[in-house]
Amino acid sequence: METFAVRRRDWTKRRRALVGAVFALLVVAALIGAVGAEQADEVDLGNIAGIIHELSLPAYAGRLTGTDGNWAAVGYVADRFERLGLANPDGLEGYLQPYVQPTRLMHSPPELEILDASGSVARQFKFITQFSPTTAPGCRISGEVTAPGVILEHVDDIDRVRGEAVLLVPMHLAANPTEIEAIMKRVTSSSCRDQARLLGVILEVDTSGRGYFPIVPFVAPGSFPTDRNDGGRQSTAEPVSNEPMVFTCDRPTFAELAACSAAGPDSPSGTIRMSMDYSVEPARTANVVGVLPGDPVAPGGARHIIVGAHLDHVGSNMDGTYNPGAMDNASGVAAMIEIARALSAGPVRPPLTVVFVAFNGEEQFMYGSRHYVSEPCLPLSEATMVNIDTVGSPRGVLLQIENAAGRDTQMARDLCGVAAQLGIGFRKSVSSGTDHSSFANAGVEAVNLIQPDFAGGYHGPGDAADGVDPGRVAEVVRLVLAFIRTAKTAPPD
Ligand SMILES: [Zn+2]
């Protein structure tokens, strides 16, 4: 019994030792597995989510170029570059590449009201959800008008309008660019102005399925005077020209405006009040540029790739709301910084130098990228460029790998190849609406990466951080990391 008992104890000991050894092996294997998984997936989702959250905060107020919120975003990105140890390009201070561009500022929210016979407000409509001003060249961008509404059924109705009026343009005309062009030509022509003062135009727009008007602060070069002597603002008392004020409104709003107006131009009744308070001003602003030097002995050492993303957005609505611009384009900035972090943290330097650029002024007309192209930090003859604008679709919208219009680059083909290898779904496409096109126009191979999901609230208060999926941003980070690490070294043809 004793012997048996001893043997049994021995066996139990041995079994315990065996179990312990197997357990230890399993732990080691699990640890190796974990390390392996970490190496295979080095992307830090927390970093991506944190950057998107940060840049979408009220402190940045929608990052409109020329505002304090935009400067705060510039400072944030420069600080991140510094912490990653990126090199400051020669000639720049603190990673900032300053330049001046026109920007459109809103000083108070626009107003659209129906006034009763005594001139008091009978109905007030809501900016963004019910109406939005148009700030295109050829229309006033500041001031106030009050006039009876006149419904247009046909372009020729304009000739029958007498006295002051706000023209109400129903959708059958407003949705037709040819009709709109004809209407605006008549409204601003002097012959028409002899008999009538057409102070405003309100276009009926179908917003169903979207429910709001996106904010578009586009300022084409030379389209607005910016060298004002009145402190940068047009006078709000009198129109500076006979340009009309132009609003768009949704269908229910249009119906209410029409109900208080005459059915034809002969007997207008009811009064409409429109006001807007914008100015277009020269703004001193900056791109943020940081450099990660490549391996100088790698075959691609002399060449560099620019990884770009615009940091600006469309700003505040001056009514307590702002447009966070989480998907457009805090997501792209987060991807860019995460790419910089992963490459800096890696044990080997990338085979080619990487220049990270957070562009400003994209929303006005790609001013920042056009400035960078005119004053590049490294010669563009040695460059390729990948831009990231609007990624992190939580609705599974496919990644698009986009050439600029009229280009078919080897770079796009290579990116498609890498995406396929990584098992990332994609579609090859063409667009010229963002910063890669500034580089393409300068003869640089340039590609834009986008997951074009605008259902979360494009250029509106709805584009918030919780509507962006960091996992989908990570997909783009992995693609660009793999692309850089396997970069072809031959110069573009
Ligand atoms: Zn945008």
Side-chain angles (χ1 to χ4, degrees):
M1 294 285 282
E2 180 65 34
T3 311
F4 177 78
V6 167
R7 245 189 254 143
R8 197 188 142 100
R9 262 207 307 274
D10 272 355
W11 168 236
T12 307
K13 260 194 220 158
R14 265 189 230 142
R15 199 175 61 178
R16 275 193 193 134
L18 189 67
V19 168
V22 168
F23 182 69
L25 272 174
L26 284 174
V27 168
V28 169
L31 279 173
I32 289 168
V35 170
E38 198 158 284
Q39 274 169 354
D41 187 9
E42 63 194 323
V43 180
D44 183 346
L45 292 184
N47 187 40
I48 291 170
I51 294 164
I52 295 168
H53 173 79
E54 174 71 26
L55 290 174
S56 305
L57 288 173
Y60 299 91
R63 310 186 301 278
L64 180 71
T65 301
T67 64
D68 292 348
N70 181 282
W71 275 113
V74 165
Y76 174 78
V77 174
D79 182 59
R80 295 300 298 250
F81 282 3
E82 188 176 15
R83 284 196 220 181
L84 291 174
L86 297 188
N88 181 58
D90 286 345
L92 301 192
E93 230 173 85
Y95 303 99
L96 302 195
Q97 183 185 47
Y99 72 96
V100 176
Q101 66 157 82
T103 193
R104 191 199 70 186
L105 302 176
M106 182 169 71
H107 304 285
S108 59
E111 290 169 348
L112 176 61
E113 294 164 343
I114 295 172
L115 305 183
D116 65 17
S118 68
S120 27
V121 178
R123 180 80 167 96
Q124 198 165 33
F125 299 99
K126 272 191 76 67
F127 171 47
I128 297 183
T129 50
Q130 293 181 306
F131 78 97
S132 188
T134 298
T135 53
C139 62
R140 288 174 59 191
I141 61 168
S142 73
E144 174 184 344
V145 303
T146 304
V150 175
I151 304 162
L152 284 194
E153 284 305 328
H154 191 272
V155 179
D156 293 336
D157 288 348
I158 294 174
D159 298 336
R160 298 163 57 208
V161 180
R162 299 288 180 272
E164 297 191 335
V166 169
L167 296 184
L168 300 177
V169 183
M171 217 167 63
H172 71 267
L173 298 175
N176 184 329
T178 317
E179 300 278 15
I180 286 295
E181 201 188 326
I183 289 167
M184 293 312 292
K185 220 177 221 170
R186 298 264 191 116
V187 165
T188 49
S189 82
S190 53
S191 64
C192 178
R193 297 209 145 264
D194 292 342
Q195 62 191 31
R197 275 195 77 207
L198 304 175
L199 302 176
V201 178
I202 300 180
L203 311 172
E204 183 185 21
V205 172
D206 187 2
T207 61
S208 57
R210 189 179 61 211
Y212 69 99
F213 292 86
I215 306 294
V216 182
F218 184 79
V219 183
S223 60
F224 294 95
T226 55
D227 53 342
R228 301 225 169 83
N229 297 319
D230 61 354
R233 293 181 59 174
Q234 285 186 351
S235 161
T236 51
E238 274 300 312
V240 293
S241 68
N242 57 6
E243 291 169 341
M245 206 173 266
V246 183
F247 282 13
T248 50
C249 75
D250 68 359
R251 302 198 74 181
T253 300
F254 192 87
E256 283 192 57
L257 294 170
C260 87
S261 307
D266 302 317
S267 56
S269 63
T271 311
I272 294 170
R273 180 176 167 274
M274 307 162 71
S275 89
M276 64 202 296
D277 188 11
Y278 292 90
S279 64
V280 174
E281 301 177 18
R284 189 163 176 75
T285 184
N287 295 323
V288 191
V289 190
V291 178
L292 182 64
D295 182 350
V297 298
R303 297 186 39 73
H304 72 279
I305 183 168
I306 295 157
V307 177
H310 77 85
L311 65 80
D312 65 297
H313 192 57
V314 304
S316 162
N317 304 316
M318 306 300 282
D319 61 356
T321 70
Y322 70 104
N323 310 295
M327 186 102 75
D328 178 13
N329 184 34
S331 67
V333 175
M336 178 188 69
I337 292 174
E338 177 58 12
I339 291 162
R341 189 203 61 75
L343 287 176
S344 327
V348 290
R349 285 162 80 170
L352 74 180
T353 293
V354 188
V355 178
F356 296 95
V357 191
F359 297 113
N360 222 312
E362 191 271 348
E363 300 289 3
Q364 279 80 21
F365 183 49
M366 301 173 276
Y367 278 91
S369 54
R370 291 188 300 123
H371 175 77
Y372 184 89
V373 164
S374 72
E375 289 182 25
C377 293
L378 293 173
L380 288 182
S381 56
E382 298 290 332
T384 52
M385 194 269 179
V386 61
N387 190 61
I388 308 169
D389 188 354
T390 305
V391 292
S393 163
R395 283 165 284 269
V397 172
L398 207 59
L399 172 70
Q400 288 187 192
I401 297 174
E402 300 181 328
N403 279 310
R407 320 269 162 174
D408 184 16
T409 62
Q410 183 59 44
M411 188 185 191
R413 286 191 288 273
D414 290 346
L415 275 161
C416 291
V418 175
Q421 274 171 21
L422 295 178
I424 296 170
F426 69 92
R427 194 164 76 81
K428 206 170 159 214
S429 175
V430 172
S431 84
S432 290
T434 185
D435 293 310
H436 70 305
S437 66
S438 303
F439 289 82
N441 290 341
V444 176
E445 283 217 337
V447 170
N448 184 50
L449 303 176
I450 182 170
Q451 293 160 356
D453 182 346
F454 304 114
Y458 175 70
H459 282 205
D463 183 9
D466 59 6
V468 183
D469 178 358
R472 294 297 314 284
V473 178
E475 175 183 308
V476 175
V477 171
R478 286 188 197 103
L479 172 61
V480 176
L481 284 173
F483 176 75
I484 289 172
R485 285 174 177 150
T486 59
K488 297 239 171 52
T489 54
D493 38 37

